[in-house]
Amino acid sequence: MNRPAGDVAPGGQFPEPLAGLGDAVEVQVRPAPGGRGTEIAVRLRDGARLPVAAAARRVGGRDPEQAIRAALRESKQLIETSEVLHPDYPPTTEPTPLNKPLRMATQQGRREGRL
């Protein structure tokens, strides 16, 4: 993000989405290459997981990597705009069987990133 490190974590405090992950993750803040702002890197402290277990958590919507991606995305929005943007809410159409696939994809996009 195109902000100095002091704006990303003022006083060592990360925005709520990242702070909400607690001690389960390791967060690193460093200058981006070429003086282009700041990079934030987040990784789980647990280490490797079994692929089968990770797939089961992912299908159930409880994959920690989804939570990390969502926290990074929301933190970036908070730092850059001071709010978390939800462009698909409120919906502009009535729920119908025809737009159900789009609604499901949009809902999944909140965990995985925008489509």
Side-chain angles (χ1 to χ4, degrees):
M1 71 187 63
N2 197 12
R3 297 274 197 217
D7 289 352
V8 172
Q13 298 295 317
F14 293 104
E16 177 54 35
L18 283 177
L21 297 175
D23 293 333
V25 296
E26 176 185 337
V27 181
Q28 295 178 353
V29 178
R30 58 184 171 258
R36 295 183 180 179
T38 305
E39 288 182 348
I40 300 175
V42 180
R43 70 178 183 164
L44 288 171
R45 292 187 190 268
D46 297 340
R49 292 173 311 281
L50 296 174
V52 174
R57 285 192 306 270
R58 186 179 185 92
V59 169
R62 298 184 314 266
D63 185 12
E65 292 172 4
Q66 289 175 339
I68 289 172
R69 284 191 294 274
L72 281 169
R73 192 171 47 252
E74 290 174 6
S75 294
K76 181 178 185 204
Q77 291 176 8
L78 282 171
I79 292 165
E80 291 178 346
T81 67
S82 300
E83 64 180 310
V84 176
L85 306 174
H86 296 285
D88 58 338
Y89 188 82
T92 58
T93 60
E94 294 292 322
T96 66
L98 186 61
N99 67 18
K100 186 173 183 172
L102 177 59
R103 287 184 285 126
M104 291 176 61
T106 302
Q107 184 178 27
Q108 184 71 16
R110 290 187 187 115
R111 291 192 299 240
E112 293 292 329
R114 289 281 164 218
L115 302 173

